[in-house]
Amino acid sequence: MTTRGAEELSMSPPSGSGMAGVADVKRMRRESFGPWGSPCKKILYYCPQMKDLAHAVAAHAQGDMTITLGDISWKRFPDGFPNVFVEGAESIRGKHVAFLASFNNPETIFEQISVIYSLPKMFIASFTLILPFFPTGTAERVEREGEVPTAVTLARILSHIPLSRGGPCSTIIFDIH
């Protein structure tokens, strides 16, 4: 990067430019990652268990809101571990992305967490996790020595989802059991 480029991307405003300079610096920094997608245009990825709901949500988008369904290949290696691939990952850069998860089966949580942790790292504008049901809500406290609070563990995992370009993940939970 040239000296001029480094000055343009620094967080300190050019001398004598006041608040307008700060706004320009922030705009240039944001644009250096590519164009931001419209917040009315979302890309919705989903786990296989939520395919029908994802298609219904996309079909009911109204007004300026458009929801495009993203495609994920959910396969397994011969040893049984997930072999997951986000199709068209290069095209979601700068876009607003959501993931519709289903944690009702413990066997599929790991592969979904892997996707949930990967999507924000793909230079997306924002990331929203939609979890219709939080299944481990009955195990949030320890009543006797030796009990493992699985709800707390899952909540900690979800609270550490990596940041997207737009900041922290927005998490929507409809039913905390």
Side-chain angles (χ1 to χ4, degrees):
M1 182 181 294
T2 65
T3 305
R4 182 174 177 261
E7 289 171 4
E8 287 177 354
L9 295 179
S10 73
M11 289 308 291
S12 58
S15 58
S17 62
M19 291 306 290
V22 172
D24 289 340
V25 168
K26 287 182 179 180
R27 180 187 50 76
M28 285 187 294
R29 187 172 204 198
R30 184 174 57 243
E31 289 174 357
S32 71
F33 287 103
W36 283 75
S38 166
C40 293
K41 295 179 181 177
K42 308 270 186 200
I43 299 173
L44 177 62
Y45 288 95
Y46 54 91
C47 66
Q49 301 90 325
M50 298 303 242
K51 181 179 181 177
D52 293 340
L53 181 58
H55 283 270
V57 167
H60 285 89
Q62 297 178 356
D64 292 342
M65 178 67 71
T66 59
I67 299 174
T68 304
L69 295 178
D71 191 25
I72 298 177
S73 172
W74 301 90
K75 296 180 182 176
R76 295 208 172 265
F77 288 109
D79 64 1
F81 271 88
N83 180 7
V84 183
F85 186 82
V86 177
E87 303 288 345
E90 62 283 345
S91 67
I92 66 171
R93 183 176 282 219
K95 304 287 191 318
H96 298 275
V97 175
F99 182 76
L100 180 57
S102 174
F103 289 175
N104 65 338
N105 181 353
E107 294 175 6
T108 62
I109 292 176
F110 176 70
E111 60 193 15
Q112 291 179 71
I113 291 290
S114 298
V115 170
I116 291 165
Y117 270 57
S118 294
L119 286 170
K121 295 178 184 179
M122 295 181 184
F123 300 104
I124 60 175
S126 68
F127 182 64
T128 303
L129 171 63
I130 305 165
L131 187 59
F133 179 68
F134 191 83
T136 59
T138 57
E140 76 279 3
R141 64 187 164 277
V142 174
E143 293 181 0
R144 61 180 202 169
E145 190 74 27
E147 275 187 302
V148 177
T150 56
V152 171
T153 303
L154 186 55
R156 284 186 184 141
I157 290 169
L158 294 177
S159 71
H160 286 87
I161 296 170
L163 299 175
S164 68
R165 285 182 27 213
C169 169
S170 297
T171 303
I172 301 169
I173 301 174
F174 291 98
D175 182 9
I176 298 179
H177 180 66

